[in-house]
Structure formats: structure tokens, C-alpha cells
């Protein structure tokens, strides 16, 4: 794809400039990047902005500034996020997406880590900054500790962060979780007609994270390589191939971490020494039983005790 040659090509757009499209475009020259920064500063200085597309124009300009790896791209992003407040959920969300996916980790992760030192996990910018830091993959001790701590906040998101790092440091933790989750799939297998349990959803996240970490420095087994199952132009077959890959990964991990589960469900519970895990399983089983008992209620028009006319 061709690079932008004029700043107006970006600021005059009245549609969202997708991140995936930017990632496939050449970097703009320094002149355009400088003009875009000036454009953003001007917009933020206005007492009132009557442009119907003001937030869309700012989002597109900021996206290109981030793509161009401007030295102040992260600082400008955080400034815009705090400046816009509730005036545009769209612009705020775009800033978060830029931190999570577009900002170059090598250029901005060190800055992100400095911000994280003074932030709390419940702040809006915390998780996107942590994702940016995780993508650097340089085995930073601060990032490791923050991700481990985040497990108690949201285990599924923490697993995703571990996968982003591709850091072997997390492999043992992920494998421990897979071993604990395997009985939930063995004895309480997901059913298409019922919502999955939280353990089923967590298994999927941990499985993908395990794959990213375990195969970060190795030749990927052909049967587990998404690139061999998913062709970019095969739009119709994408979901089927992705599902096939996930099923193969699940089968492999179940054999590895659940292969020793040859006992019955009750025998496994009886021999289980982890009281917390036992209670989680009992709660999940009760959840499934309640769902299967709850069927669609039908309107009864005639009492079963009535006699025919």
C-alpha cells in the first residue's frame, strides 16, 4: 500500500482509519507527522469545536502519529485520553486500542513501564499500558510481577498477557492452571446448547497463552501451526479452520494434562486435596445441573385434571 503524501489525506477522512490497515502501510515522512501533532495540539486548544467529525479526525491523526513512531506518541495518546474525558467514548476507546496493538513495543514499552509504577490496576489506562509493556518480550521483572499480580484481578486477561510476552517464565504457571482446569473439561465437557462455565472460558485463554509461550523459540508442530490452517484469502473457511486448530490444541493439552484422569468424577473429588479447587468444581457442576433442569416453560391452556366436553 502507498504511504500518505499529504496531511489532508488523513485529517479530511470521515471514516475510521483501521489499525490493521495502518500496520500494512509505509511510515509517513517526518513533515506529515509533525503537521499531525500540530493538528492535535490545535484541536485540544479550542474552547469549542463545532466540527461534527472532530473526534474521528483526531483519532485518525493520532493513529498515524503512533504508526510513525513519533517520540511523543505515547505521551500525546495519554494526554488526549485524559483531555477528552467523556466527550467522546469513541476517541477514548481508540486511544486504548492504539496502546494495546499499534504502538511499537520496542520504542514505547520502557515509557509504559515507568507509567505503570505509579498506577493502580483499576485505572482505565493500566491494562493497555501493561499490554504494551508485555509486547516487548524482554523478560522484564517488573512486567512479570505485574502480570502475576493481575491474575487475581482477571485470570483470563492475565493469561492473555502471558501469551503476549512469550516469556518462558510463565510456562510453569500456565501448565499448573491447565492441570487444574483439565477435570472441568473431562467431567463437565462444554455443551453447545449451554453457556460455558468460567473454567471453560479460562481454559481457552490459558491454552492459547501456553501455545504462544511454549512455541516461542521452537519450530511449531505442523498440526498446531495456524499459518498452515488459515489462508488469508479464504474468508469463508477462516472460522472453520480456526475452530479446527483450537480443537486440535485442546485435544493435545487434554491428553497431556488430563490424561491421568482415569477415575470417575466422584473418585477424583474424593482424592482431591485442594479444597478450593473441589469447591469450584462442585459449584460448576451445580451450575450445569441447574441449566439442564431449566427448560422452556410452556403455557398450559387446559388443566390435566379437566375432563373433556
Amino acid at each position: 500500500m502507498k504511504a500518505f503524501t499529504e496531511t489532508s489525506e488523513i485529517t479530511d477522512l470521515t471514516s475510521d482509519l483501521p489499525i490493521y490497515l495502518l500496520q500494512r502501510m509505509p511510515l509517513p515522512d517526518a513533515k506529515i507527522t509533525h503537521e499531525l501533532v500540530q493538528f492535535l495540539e490545535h484541536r485540544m486548544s479550542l474552547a469549542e469545536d463545532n466540527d461534527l467529525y472532530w473526534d474521528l479526525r483526531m483519532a485518525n491523526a493520532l493513529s498515524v502519529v503512533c504508526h510513525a513512531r513519533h517520540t511523543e506518541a505515547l505521551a500525546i495518546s495519554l494526554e488526549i485520553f485524559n483531555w477528552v474525558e467523556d466527550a467522546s467514548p469513541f476517541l477514548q476507546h481508540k486511544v486504548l486500542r492504539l496502546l494495546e496493538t499499534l504502538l511499537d513495543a520496542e520504542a514505547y514499552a520502557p515509557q509504559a513501564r515507568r507509567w505503570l509504577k505509579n498506577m493502580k490496576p483499576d485505572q482505565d489506562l493500566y491494562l493497555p499500558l501493561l499490554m504494551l509493556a508485555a509486547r516487548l518480550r524482554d523478560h522484564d521483572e517488573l512486567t512479570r510481577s505485574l502480570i502475576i499480580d493481575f491474575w487475581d484481578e482477571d485470570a483470563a486477561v492475565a493469561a492473555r498477557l502471558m501469551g503476549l510476552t512469550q516469556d518462558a517464565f510463565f510456562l510453569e504457571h500456565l501448565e499448573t492452571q491447565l492441570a487444574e482446569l483439565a477435570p472441568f473439561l473431562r467431567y463437565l465437557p462444554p455443551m453447545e446448547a449451554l453457556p460455558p462455565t468460567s473454567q471453560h472460558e479460562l481454559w481457552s485463554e490459558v491454552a492459547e497463552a501456553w501455545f504462544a509461550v511454549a512455541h516461542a523459540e521452537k519450530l511449531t508442530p505442523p498440526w498446531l501451526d495456524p499459518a498452515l490452517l488459515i489462508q488469508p484469502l479464504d474468508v469463508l473457511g477462516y472460522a472453520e479452520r480456526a475452530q479446527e486448530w483450537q480443537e486440535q490444541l485442546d485435544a493435545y493439552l487434554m491428553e497431556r494434562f488430563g490424561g491421568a484422569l482415569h477415575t470417575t468424577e466422584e473418585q477424583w473429588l474424593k482424592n482431591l486435596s485442594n479444597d478450593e479447587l473441589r469447591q469450584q468444581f462442585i459449584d460448576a457442576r451445580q451450575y450445569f445441573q441447574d441449566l439442564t433442569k431449566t427448560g422452556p416453560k410452556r403455557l398450559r391452556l387446559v388443566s390435566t385434571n379437566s375432563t373433556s366436553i
Side-chain angles (χ1 to χ4, degrees):
M1 299 186 67
K2 295 181 179 179
F4 293 111
T5 57
E6 298 289 339
T7 304
S8 59
E9 293 178 333
I10 303 160
T11 57
D12 288 351
L13 283 172
T14 55
S15 59
D16 183 33
L17 188 57
I19 290 176
Y20 75 85
L21 188 63
L22 275 173
Q23 291 171 327
R24 289 161 175 77
M25 295 184 68
L27 299 181
D29 61 36
K31 176 179 178 294
I32 289 180
T33 305
H34 177 68
E35 290 176 352
L36 289 173
V37 171
Q38 290 183 316
F39 171 83
L40 291 168
E41 291 175 346
H42 171 69
R43 288 283 180 167
M44 285 191 286
S45 69
L46 295 176
E48 185 176 352
D49 195 336
N50 296 319
D51 182 3
L52 182 64
Y53 298 103
W54 67 271
D55 54 349
L56 179 63
R57 299 187 201 282
M58 290 186 70
N60 287 338
L62 180 61
S63 297
V64 178
V65 169
C66 291
H67 175 58
R69 301 177 187 174
H70 186 278
T71 53
E72 297 299 318
L74 177 57
I76 294 171
S77 298
L78 300 184
E79 182 182 1
I80 289 176
F81 184 88
N82 292 318
W83 167 80
V84 74
E85 294 183 334
D86 297 328
S88 172
F90 164 76
L91 183 52
Q92 278 205 325
H93 179 71
K94 192 57 178 277
V95 171
L96 300 180
R97 292 283 293 130
L98 293 173
L99 267 61
E100 293 169 0
T101 60
L102 183 63
L103 279 170
D104 180 70
E106 187 172 347
Y108 303 105
Q111 299 176 39
R113 287 168 179 171
R114 288 195 292 272
W115 280 88
L116 285 165
K117 289 180 180 179
N118 300 311
M119 296 183 71
K120 296 180 179 180
D122 60 350
Q123 292 180 259
D124 292 334
L125 290 167
Y126 183 89
L127 181 56
L129 285 170
L130 187 53
M131 293 180 72
L132 174 56
R135 287 192 284 115
L136 185 55
R137 303 172 186 170
D138 71 344
H139 311 286
D140 172 76
E141 291 299 330
L142 171 65
T143 307
R144 286 174 172 175
S145 63
L146 293 178
I147 292 174
I148 288 292
D149 292 343
F150 201 80
W151 187 270
D152 292 332
E153 297 287 332
D154 191 324
V157 174
R160 204 173 310 158
L161 289 166
M162 292 175 187
L164 286 175
T165 68
Q166 295 189 350
D167 185 353
F169 170 81
F170 295 112
L171 190 59
E172 182 179 354
H173 179 85
L174 292 168
E175 292 185 343
T176 298
Q177 297 304 320
L178 288 169
E180 290 187 356
L181 292 169
F184 290 87
L185 275 79
R186 180 65 177 269
Y187 301 123
L188 298 173
M191 289 182 275
E192 291 185 3
L194 298 177
T197 67
S198 59
Q199 289 82 7
H200 294 152
E201 293 176 335
L202 181 57
W203 167 276
S204 297
E205 293 291 348
V206 175
E208 291 188 15
W210 174 89
F211 178 78
V213 172
H215 296 279
E217 304 296 337
K218 304 174 186 176
L219 179 66
T220 303
W223 62 275
L224 276 179
D225 188 351
L228 299 179
L229 292 169
I230 301 171
Q231 301 299 321
L233 300 179
D234 186 7
V235 178
L236 294 177
Y238 180 92
E240 291 181 4
R241 291 184 176 90
Q243 181 65 31
E244 178 187 355
W245 175 77
Q246 185 67 57
E247 289 173 357
Q248 290 178 348
L249 179 60
D250 286 345
Y252 172 81
L253 293 177
M254 272 301 296
E255 179 62 28
R256 178 168 176 176
F257 297 102
L261 297 172
H262 299 305
T263 60
T264 65
E265 176 183 321
E266 292 302 329
Q267 288 173 328
W268 172 75
L269 277 174
K270 182 179 180 181
N271 296 327
L272 184 64
S273 59
N274 188 326
D275 292 336
E276 182 180 356
L277 184 60
R278 177 188 291 105
Q279 190 58 50
Q280 288 178 8
F281 183 87
I282 292 173
D283 292 343
R285 183 173 61 182
Q286 186 62 51
Y287 167 79
F288 254 26
Q289 290 173 347
D290 291 343
L291 285 176
T292 54
K293 290 177 182 177
T294 306
K297 298 186 182 299
R298 296 177 179 149
L299 181 62
R300 180 172 292 172
L301 298 178
V302 181
S303 171
T304 55
N305 295 324
S306 65
T307 58
S308 59
I309 297 175

